[in-house]
DNA sequence: TTTACACCCGACCGGTCGGTCGTTTTTATA
DNA sequence: TATAAAAACGACCGACCGGTCGGGTGTAAA
């Protein structure tokens, strides 16, 4: 059943989120899934190949079922921002950011996946803003994402979520 | 000579910046300094103890010799922002952020050092803003730092420095 | 010249890493 | 129920990890 495969990916996401790419242990991942390490390698050829799967799932979960921006782009935007805010607040860190900092030229496929993830997310955000006639939507999308992710440093260091909330609030104000 | 000790700390900063806490190798650090691994342990008891030194040095370099904010707080603010911007652009990543994501409860001293680093930097920024009569200086300082650090994700993923430049520019506009 | 000390290093420790292999167990099909 | 594929596993690999130890080595004070 695909259940196991999906569980590997979702648990891998948490391992990467908590420990980054280098710090993520296949042994740790296996025990979280309830398998032995060797069993993981029947599904994935290596650790690096987990990264694209993790980010693809994350992107999909982030944008799936969003209200149609052609109907009400403000609602779409605010829903998207709210989802990101909620995830970051609950999980404390951004997987994408931890991976972006962790992957190097030694893991080119993972590197490409991280790049794709952020590009796709920014493009999705820019699309919505474009429908709202917001000027320079790519820049606004990139800056909004930067603000939200940067706010997680305060969560991890001091548990302070107010910068994240202010970031989300000011992002939502773009659509007013 | 203190030269060796300082070189260890400055090189450790680059190792942490590039590889994070877990990924940083004492072997790697030693070879960058031009020593053998065992020699590092005559200066530092363990890897964790490098973190406070690295962050203390970074904080000191960031704020030392800043123009007196009592004379011209705008100049002080913009100089500080400019320094952070320059470092992030040159080095591509923020050591503090990589360490913030990398240290866990297993390394409490490192964790505390990271917390202190960001708190001190934010407080320094807030002090300047306070002299300028900026409302809610702590929040503004935290948000400014978040925006600058978040912008590094675009540098690492795609080499795009424009989000960082926009962040710095908008930060400088606070003091106008 | 002796002594003492800071420093450096080669060799080594136990442990964990990502990954492999041969075999056993489960599962789907027929 | 027979069979073949898929999945899980225990044991193992070489490499590297953070860290230790005992023995040099250069230097400076006595």
């Amino acid at each position: 059943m695909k259940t196991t495969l999906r569980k590997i990916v979702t648990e891998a996401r948490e391992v990467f989120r908590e420990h980054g790419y280098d710090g993520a242990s296949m042994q740790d991942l296996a025990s979280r899934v309830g398998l032995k390490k060797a069993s993981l390698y029947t599904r994935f050829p290596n650790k690096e190949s987990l990264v694209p799967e993790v980010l693809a799932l994350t992107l999909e979960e982030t944008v799936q079922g969003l209200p149609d921006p052609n109907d009400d782009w403000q609602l779409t935007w605010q829903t998207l921002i709210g989802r990101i805010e909620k995830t970051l607040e609950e999980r404390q860190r951004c997987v994408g950011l931890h991976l972006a900092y962790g992957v190097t030229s030694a893991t080119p496929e993972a590197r490409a996946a991280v790049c794709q993830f952020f590009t796709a997310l920014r493009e999705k955000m820019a699309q919505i803003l474009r429908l709202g006639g917001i000027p320079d939507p790519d820049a606004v999308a990139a800056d909004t994402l930067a603000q939200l992710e940067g706010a997680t440093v305060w969560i991890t260091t001091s548990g302070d979520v107010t910068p994240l909330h202010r970031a989300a609030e000011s992002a939502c104000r773009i659509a007013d």
Side-chain angles (χ1 to χ4, degrees), chain A:
Chain A
M1 297 66 180
K2 290 186 102 180
T3 319
T4 301
L5 219 155
R6 192 176 187 90
K7 177 152 198 198
I8 293 175
V9 176
T10 59
E11 291 295 335
R13 174 166 55 187
E14 298 316 305
V15 179
F16 284 138
R17 197 196 308 276
E18 293 168 27
H19 301 286
Y21 185 79
D22 275 335
S25 149
M26 297 298 275
Q27 173 74 10
D28 180 12
L29 171 58
S31 78
R32 294 194 195 205
V33 178
L35 292 175
K36 302 297 169 181
K37 187 176 55 161
S39 306
L40 293 178
Y41 288 89
T42 64
R43 319 290 194 122
F44 294 93
N46 50 49
K47 181 161 120 176
E48 189 177 4
S49 66
L50 285 165
V51 174
E53 303 292 333
V54 161
L55 294 176
L57 175 70
T58 302
L59 183 63
E60 188 213 327
E61 287 182 359
T62 305
V63 304
Q64 81 174 352
L66 276 179
D68 187 345
N70 292 294
D71 293 343
D72 184 346
W73 74 272
Q74 284 106 330
L75 177 64
T76 310
W77 175 258
Q78 287 165 2
T79 305
L80 178 54
I81 297 297
R83 283 188 189 177
I84 298 173
E85 179 191 17
K86 187 184 168 203
T87 302
L88 294 182
E89 182 167 1
E90 282 176 359
R91 312 286 182 171
Q92 315 242 75
R93 289 166 155 90
C94 172
V95 218
L97 176 53
H98 211 161
L99 285 172
Y101 262 61
V103 300
T104 65
S105 52
T107 52
E109 292 176 27
R111 201 174 181 67
V114 172
C115 181
Q116 277 174 28
F117 170 76
F118 279 108
T119 303
L121 186 52
R122 184 185 58 185
E123 182 48 33
K124 182 70 190 175
M125 294 170 72
Q127 266 177 27
I128 301 169
L129 294 173
R130 214 171 279 123
L131 285 174
I134 302 293
D136 210 349
D138 280 298
V140 173
D143 294 351
T144 300
L145 223 37
Q147 181 91 53
L148 289 165
E149 280 151 21
T152 62
V153 77
W154 298 112
I155 303 181
T156 64
T157 55
S158 60
D160 183 7
V161 293
T162 61
L164 176 66
H165 291 155
R166 282 195 301 271
E169 197 188 339
S170 101
C172 284
R173 263 200 301 273
I174 294 171
D176 266 344

